[in-house]
Amino acid sequence: MSGIRSTDIRGTGIRAALFPLPLVLGLLGTAAAPAGAVGSHAPHASHASHPGKSLTCRGKGVDPDALVRHRTETVINAPLRTIWKLQTDVERWPSWQTPIETVERLDRGPLRKGSAFRWMTPIPPNPSTPATSLEITSTVQQFKRNSCLRWTGPAIGEGLRIDGVHVWKFTKVKGGVRVTTEETHTGAQVEADVPTATKILREGLEAWLRDLKSAAEARAHNRYLQGHA
């Protein structure tokens, strides 16, 4: 996903419009973790809002000039093929990411470089704007099977636009797979309050990793039980 622009939001309205969007800014990801949430499903590795070197996929990273940027990671105790399948079968995202309403592939076949998909997520009402939906159109720019993904594209809603770049890296490690993700956002609305936008992005990315970890480990556990029944 990429950039946000407001057509008729000014002053405190900018901040008000940002707060309903934790999942939007995290995917333009998933809903932010509840305050104080802890446990085995929370991302537990290092994270930083402004890492020195961009995460890359086939040599391409996030927007180096973006003011809103965050990177985080977690280790998932599941086979790489299970994690990769969950992440790249985008039409099934709503089955394990409840904040995502629908996903539509705009091409056919396995996800690959050049693939595009459109997905919708709700935005609840707030004092300055009514309830609406955010439409995100993502295009895969870089792709390496079982290794990395990079997609870009706009998220557009009533009175706002976010342009984002999102990179994912999957690395086998002792105990499972380290999943690292980094995303940048640009646009007038997020750039009007960078600390708030960055916080929301962080919460959204961590929630996405938490949901991916939960879904992948549950699937791996179920297959283990079936194999030993």
Side-chain angles (χ1 to χ4, degrees):
M1 177 210 86
S2 43
I4 285 186
R5 180 177 57 195
S6 171
T7 57
D8 191 23
I9 300 176
R10 56 187 180 273
T12 57
I14 293 175
R15 178 180 290 270
L18 281 174
F19 278 105
L21 306 180
L23 82 100
V24 168
L25 297 180
L27 212 216
L28 291 216
T30 53
V38 295
S40 62
H41 298 310
H44 55 77
S46 61
H47 52 78
S49 292
H50 294 284
K53 185 177 180 181
S54 173
L55 190 68
T56 63
C57 181
R58 293 192 177 275
K60 300 293 185 179
V62 295
D63 184 345
D65 298 321
L67 299 178
V68 179
R69 176 180 178 184
H70 190 72
R71 182 196 299 183
T72 188
E73 62 182 37
T74 193
V75 173
I76 300 177
N77 184 17
L80 175 57
R81 65 181 180 275
T82 298
I83 300 166
W84 183 260
K85 175 66 173 177
L86 283 166
Q87 185 71 355
T88 59
D89 191 359
V90 298
E91 290 180 299
R92 293 184 180 273
W93 280 355
S95 70
W96 57 274
Q97 295 193 73
T98 54
I100 299 177
E101 292 181 328
T102 62
V103 182
E104 176 191 5
R105 277 287 299 273
L106 303 181
D107 62 328
R108 296 182 179 181
L111 199 72
R112 59 195 182 277
K113 182 178 179 179
S115 290
F117 50 98
R118 180 180 300 118
W119 40 297
M120 302 289 292
T121 188
I123 301 175
N126 69 82
S128 65
T129 60
T132 184
S133 291
L134 194 74
E135 180 180 280
I136 306 160
T137 303
S138 299
T139 302
V140 178
Q141 306 291 352
Q142 277 72 38
F143 180 98
K144 185 175 182 181
R145 183 175 177 82
N146 291 327
S147 178
C148 66
L149 290 162
R150 178 179 177 269
W151 65 66
T152 64
I156 300 173
E158 185 69 29
L160 69 94
R161 176 187 171 103
I162 303 170
D163 288 296
V165 182
H166 203 163
V167 182
W168 294 86
K169 183 76 173 179
F170 304 82
T171 308
K172 288 185 178 181
V173 296
K174 185 178 179 179
V177 176
R178 180 189 299 116
V179 181
T180 309
T181 185
E182 184 174 12
E183 186 169 9
T184 54
H185 292 164
T186 57
Q189 194 168 14
V190 291
E191 290 165 3
D193 189 347
V194 171
T196 296
T198 301
K199 176 179 181 291
I200 293 171
L201 174 59
R202 173 180 58 79
E203 292 171 346
L205 289 178
E206 291 178 353
W208 189 326
L209 286 182
R210 185 181 63 253
D211 288 345
L212 179 60
K213 179 179 175 71
S214 178
E217 291 182 350
R219 184 170 295 189
H221 181 66
N222 289 338
R223 287 179 177 172
Y224 174 83
L225 293 178
Q226 291 171 5
H228 291 77

